[in-house]
mmCIF file with all atom_site columns, all heavy atoms in Angstrom:
data_model
loop_
_atom_site.group_PDB
_atom_site.id
_atom_site.type_symbol
_atom_site.label_atom_id
_atom_site.label_alt_id
_atom_site.label_comp_id
_atom_site.label_asym_id
_atom_site.label_entity_id
_atom_site.label_seq_id
_atom_site.pdbx_PDB_ins_code
_atom_site.Cartn_x
_atom_site.Cartn_y
_atom_site.Cartn_z
_atom_site.occupancy
_atom_site.B_iso_or_equiv
_atom_site.pdbx_formal_charge
_atom_site.auth_seq_id
_atom_site.auth_comp_id
_atom_site.auth_asym_id
_atom_site.auth_atom_id
_atom_site.pdbx_PDB_model_num
ATOM 1  N N   . MET A 1 1   ? 111.692 81.736  91.746  1.00 34.00 ? 1   MET A N   1
ATOM 2  C CA  . MET A 1 1   ? 112.010 82.825  92.651  1.00 34.00 ? 1   MET A CA  1
ATOM 3  C C   . MET A 1 1   ? 113.018 83.788  92.021  1.00 34.00 ? 1   MET A C   1
ATOM 4  O O   . MET A 1 1   ? 113.950 83.391  91.354  1.00 34.00 ? 1   MET A O   1
ATOM 5  C CB  . MET A 1 1   ? 112.605 82.226  93.931  1.00 34.00 ? 1   MET A CB  1
ATOM 6  C CG  . MET A 1 1   ? 113.138 83.267  94.866  1.00 34.00 ? 1   MET A CG  1
ATOM 7  S SD  . MET A 1 1   ? 113.797 82.457  96.319  1.00 34.00 ? 1   MET A SD  1
ATOM 8  C CE  . MET A 1 1   ? 114.684 83.822  97.011  1.00 34.00 ? 1   MET A CE  1
ATOM 9  N N   . GLN A 1 8   ? 112.692 95.408  94.796  1.00 68.00 ? 8   GLN A N   1
ATOM 10 C CA  . GLN A 1 8   ? 112.188 95.530  93.433  1.00 68.00 ? 8   GLN A CA  1
ATOM 11 C C   . GLN A 1 8   ? 111.667 96.942  93.200  1.00 68.00 ? 8   GLN A C   1
ATOM 12 O O   . GLN A 1 8   ? 111.762 97.496  92.122  1.00 68.00 ? 8   GLN A O   1
ATOM 13 C CB  . GLN A 1 8   ? 111.050 94.520  93.243  1.00 68.00 ? 8   GLN A CB  1
ATOM 14 C CG  . GLN A 1 8   ? 110.569 94.417  91.814  1.00 68.00 ? 8   GLN A CG  1
ATOM 15 C CD  . GLN A 1 8   ? 109.338 93.538  91.704  1.00 68.00 ? 8   GLN A CD  1
ATOM 16 O OE1 . GLN A 1 8   ? 108.849 93.014  92.698  1.00 68.00 ? 8   GLN A OE1 1
ATOM 17 N NE2 . GLN A 1 8   ? 108.836 93.372  90.509  1.00 68.00 ? 8   GLN A NE2 1
ATOM 18 N N   . VAL A 1 110 ? 122.801 115.747 107.644 1.00 37.00 ? 110 VAL A N   1
ATOM 19 C CA  . VAL A 1 110 ? 123.379 114.423 107.546 1.00 37.00 ? 110 VAL A CA  1
ATOM 20 C C   . VAL A 1 110 ? 124.440 114.395 106.465 1.00 37.00 ? 110 VAL A C   1
ATOM 21 O O   . VAL A 1 110 ? 125.041 113.380 106.212 1.00 37.00 ? 110 VAL A O   1
ATOM 22 C CB  . VAL A 1 110 ? 122.289 113.373 107.201 1.00 37.00 ? 110 VAL A CB  1
ATOM 23 C CG1 . VAL A 1 110 ? 121.345 113.233 108.355 1.00 37.00 ? 110 VAL A CG1 1
ATOM 24 C CG2 . VAL A 1 110 ? 121.592 113.735 105.923 1.00 37.00 ? 110 VAL A CG2 1
ATOM 25 N N   . LYS B 2 63  ? 119.272 109.434 112.454 1.00 84.00 ? 63  LYS B N   1
ATOM 26 C CA  . LYS B 2 63  ? 119.246 110.570 111.518 1.00 84.00 ? 63  LYS B CA  1
ATOM 27 C C   . LYS B 2 63  ? 120.381 110.490 110.507 1.00 84.00 ? 63  LYS B C   1
ATOM 28 O O   . LYS B 2 63  ? 120.462 111.296 109.593 1.00 84.00 ? 63  LYS B O   1
ATOM 29 C CB  . LYS B 2 63  ? 119.372 111.883 112.300 1.00 84.00 ? 63  LYS B CB  1
ATOM 30 C CG  . LYS B 2 63  ? 118.203 112.172 113.214 1.00 84.00 ? 63  LYS B CG  1
ATOM 31 C CD  . LYS B 2 63  ? 118.457 113.433 114.009 1.00 84.00 ? 63  LYS B CD  1
ATOM 32 C CE  . LYS B 2 63  ? 117.369 113.634 115.047 1.00 84.00 ? 63  LYS B CE  1
ATOM 33 N NZ  . LYS B 2 63  ? 117.711 114.682 116.006 1.00 84.00 ? 63  LYS B NZ  1
ATOM 34 N N   . GLU B 2 80  ? 109.820 92.277  100.396 1.00 94.00 ? 80  GLU B N   1
ATOM 35 C CA  . GLU B 2 80  ? 109.569 91.975  98.981  1.00 94.00 ? 80  GLU B CA  1
ATOM 36 C C   . GLU B 2 80  ? 109.898 90.519  98.650  1.00 94.00 ? 80  GLU B C   1
ATOM 37 O O   . GLU B 2 80  ? 109.229 89.914  97.807  1.00 94.00 ? 80  GLU B O   1
ATOM 38 C CB  . GLU B 2 80  ? 110.358 92.937  98.092  1.00 94.00 ? 80  GLU B CB  1
ATOM 39 C CG  . GLU B 2 80  ? 109.776 94.336  98.129  1.00 94.00 ? 80  GLU B CG  1
ATOM 40 C CD  . GLU B 2 80  ? 110.411 95.279  97.131  1.00 94.00 ? 80  GLU B CD  1
ATOM 41 O OE1 . GLU B 2 80  ? 111.139 94.809  96.237  1.00 94.00 ? 80  GLU B OE1 1
ATOM 42 O OE2 . GLU B 2 80  ? 110.170 96.493  97.242  1.00 94.00 ? 80  GLU B OE2 1
#
Side-chain angles (χ1 to χ4, degrees):
Chain A
M1 172 180 167
Q8 188 187 0
V110 292
Chain B
K63 295 176 187 169
E80 288 187 13

